[in-house]
């Protein structure tokens, strides 16, 4: 029986992208995997992202494909477009929060630690629920931006908080060094950002 701590990574793709971009570097996902493999027995590394429905080519596709072939479990969801009844404006709805939370709870009995790459305050209750099941939770986001990318209540709830800025030497890459197939920045649907002119809910 291995005495290594069993770890699972849960990456909120759009949140991690926004955080690393705000800090001025890209994530080298090969190095990120290696970093956490060195910290224990890495059972799974989940990467969650939304994909725009009916878009023939998404600039995030090369990244998704690369992650899928290089040790990550990629979970995608198509966004839904609808017309807001009150404003008559076209909106895009897409969130992976529930999918991520359900999978984390399912995995809780098999791991010692879950590392959550997100600063989204909506995950505070998930962190609390995981802790009640005896799982230590580490949150990776940043306080180094103005405003901080991590919600204060999430940071206070977590067992360990790692500032992504501190991980830069281990998992960062200059955007100019991005592999050719990933040169186009991915188009994520994130809270507070607009994609194709549509507000995101």
């Amino acid at each position: 029986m291995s005495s290594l701590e069993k770890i699972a990574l849960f990456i909120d793709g759009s949140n991690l992208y926004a955080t690393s971009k705000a800090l001025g570097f890209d994530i080298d996902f090969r190095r990120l995997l290696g970093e956490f493999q060195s910290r224990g027995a890495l059972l799974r590394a989940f990467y969650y992202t939304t994909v725009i429905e009916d878009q023939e080519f998404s600039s995030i596709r090369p990244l998704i494909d690369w992650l899928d072939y290089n040790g990550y479990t990629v979970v995608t969801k198509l966004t839904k477009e609808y017309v807001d009844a009150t404003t008559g404006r076209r909106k895009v709805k897409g969130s992976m929060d529930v999918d991520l939370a359900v999978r984390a709870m399912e995995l809780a009995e098999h791991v010692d630690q879950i590392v959550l790459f997100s600063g989204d305050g909506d995950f505070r209750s998930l962190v609390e629920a995981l802790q009640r099941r005896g799982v230590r939770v580490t949150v990776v986001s940043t306080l180094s931006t103005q405003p901080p990318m991590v919600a204060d209540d999430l940071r206070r709830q977590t067992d360990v908080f790692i500032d992504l800025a501190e991980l830069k030497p281990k998992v960062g890459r200059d955007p100019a060094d991005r592999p050719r197939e990933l040169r186009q920045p991915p188009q994520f649907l994130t809270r507070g950002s607009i994609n194709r002119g549509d507000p995101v809910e």
Side-chain angles (χ1 to χ4, degrees), residues 65-77:
D65 290 344
W66 188 92
L67 292 170
D68 207 26
Y69 282 104
N70 287 278
Y72 289 83
T73 301
V74 178
V75 184
T76 60
K77 181 193 272 185

Side-chain angles (χ1 to χ4, degrees), residues 9-29 32-33 36 46-49 63 67 72 100 115-120 123 139-142 149 162-165 167-168 171-172 186 188-190:
L9 307 185
F10 283 81
I11 300 170
D12 175 347
S14 60
N15 196 286
L16 178 60
Y17 174 74
T19 304
S20 66
K21 188 177 178 189
L23 292 170
F25 68 92
D26 279 354
I27 299 295
D28 183 325
F29 284 97
L32 185 145
L33 213 54
F36 285 91
F46 295 98
Y47 184 92
Y48 289 82
T49 189
L63 174 62
L67 292 170
Y72 289 83
L100 188 154
V115 182
L116 174 64
F117 289 79
S118 182
D120 188 338
F123 287 125
V139 165
V140 181
S141 187
T142 192
M149 299 290 283
I162 299 175
D163 199 303
L164 187 61
L167 282 179
K168 181 180 177 180
V171 304
F188 290 100
L189 288 176
T190 59

Side-chain angles (χ1 to χ4, degrees), residues 119-195:
D120 188 338
D122 290 347
F123 287 125
R124 191 204 63 77
S125 56
L126 167 64
V127 171
E128 191 177 26
L130 289 167
Q131 290 166 332
R132 282 196 301 267
R133 289 182 169 224
V135 177
R136 285 190 324 109
V137 182
T138 297
V139 165
V140 181
S141 187
T142 192
L143 291 165
S144 304
T145 55
Q146 284 303 322
M149 299 290 283
V150 63
D152 190 56
D153 56 346
L154 177 65
R155 186 179 60 82
R156 288 172 186 271
Q157 184 67 50
T158 191
D159 295 298
V160 178
F161 174 74
I162 299 175
D163 199 303
L164 187 61
E166 294 169 18
L167 282 179
K168 181 180 177 180
K170 295 178 177 179
V171 304
R173 175 179 62 215
D174 189 294
D177 297 335
R178 185 181 295 155
R180 175 181 281 180
E181 66 275 12
L182 302 178
R183 287 272 158 87
Q184 178 79 14
Q187 292 179 348
F188 290 100
L189 288 176
T190 59
R191 286 185 187 87
S193 72
I194 296 175
N195 196 323

Side-chain angles (χ1 to χ4, degrees), residues 43 86 168:
L43 299 188
T86 25
K168 181 180 177 180

